[in-house]
Amino acid sequence: MSNVKVRPESEAPGSVVPCCPPLSERPFTAEEAERTARMFKALGDPVRLRLFSAVASHEGGEACVCDISDVGVSQPTVSHHLKKLKEAGLLTSERRGTWVYYRVEPSVLAAMGQLLTVR
């Protein structure tokens, strides 16, 4: 489930609408708070944050699971954490042969930044 919406093609290409307004704009609705909490809850675990950071900072914007699994936990636990990041809409994945490649969509990072922007 993604937390961002891509704007229609008539607007700026690649621009995004965050799931919610900036925190300083107005109070969240219950639905906005639920979506945002899922995203930040997924990042609230140190292993998930390390995995998310490893994918986001990897050359080319994507990383093979074989390149990011050295985070101090077993491979099944890495898979569990990557699944949670995908469920929160923070990562996408693609299977290529026996390996899975993960990507952080630039729109997700942009939307997270907009959410935390003070206006």
Side-chain angles (χ1 to χ4, degrees), residues 45-52 71 73 77-78 81 85:
D45 181 284
V47 172
R48 288 185 201 148
L49 189 54
R50 287 184 66 198
L51 288 167
F52 185 74
V71 291
V73 295
T77 304
V78 168
H81 287 301
L85 290 167

Side-chain angles (χ1 to χ4, degrees), residues 64-83:
C64 175
V65 69
C66 60
D67 294 329
I68 59 171
S69 59
D70 187 20
V71 291
V73 295
S74 67
Q75 182 56 45
T77 304
V78 168
S79 296
H80 166 76
H81 287 301
L82 289 168
K83 177 183 173 187

Side-chain angles (χ1 to χ4, degrees), residues 91-102:
L91 294 179
T92 60
S93 66
E94 178 184 349
R95 179 171 291 282
R96 298 181 198 153
T98 59
W99 296 110
V100 177
Y101 288 77
Y102 290 89

